[in-house]
Amino acid sequence: MIRHLVRQDCGSCHGLTLKGGLGSPLTAEALAGRPDEALLATILNGRPGTAMPPWRPFLTEEEAKWVIQWLKDGAPE
Ligand code: HEC
């Protein structure tokens, strides 16, 4: 369910394979070593001044943390 949301909704900007598009790549390599807290803030609050929208209305903090871990694991099926 969340996997589907990420591939469809996040993929529209970050690329269907999450390798980047309008948005930066969200691959395991791209996110390796990035602090979870910073990624969590970006996902929940968006990045003002960029196309990255806030997802707080659609994702709980727990779900966003799950997404970060899943992306860092290479977005397995
Ligand atoms: C409308 C386009 C758009 C959508 C939809 C979108 N993003 Fe983004 N996202 C961006 C852009 C553009 C950036 C780069 C912002 C910048 O320049 O700092 C970004 C940045 C990010 C970053 C920071 C990456 C880094 O290397 O710092 C993360 C994490 C992220 N997005 C996750 C997501 C997730 C998860 C979703 C879906 C729930 C999503 N994005 C949906 C456009 C989008």
Side-chain angles (χ1 to χ4, degrees):
M1 201 331 238
I2 299 184
R3 283 184 185 82
H4 187 73
L5 172 119
V6 174
R7 287 200 187 279
Q8 294 302 309
D9 293 357
C10 313
S12 64
C13 285
H14 290 277
L16 281 179
T17 53
L18 305 172
K19 292 202 172 95
L22 169 64
S24 33
L26 298 180
T27 54
E29 300 79 58
L31 300 183
R34 307 290 305 283
D36 288 0
E37 284 306 311
L39 296 172
L40 184 65
T42 296
I43 293 173
L44 292 178
N45 305 326
R47 284 238 179 109
T50 77
M52 177 63 185
W55 290 88
R56 203 182 282 285
F58 310 104
L59 291 174
T60 64
E61 192 168 322
E62 284 311 307
E63 286 168 335
K65 283 182 180 164
W66 184 92
V67 169
I68 291 166
Q69 201 49 56
W70 181 68
L71 290 170
K72 283 189 164 180
D73 285 344
E77 282 307 321

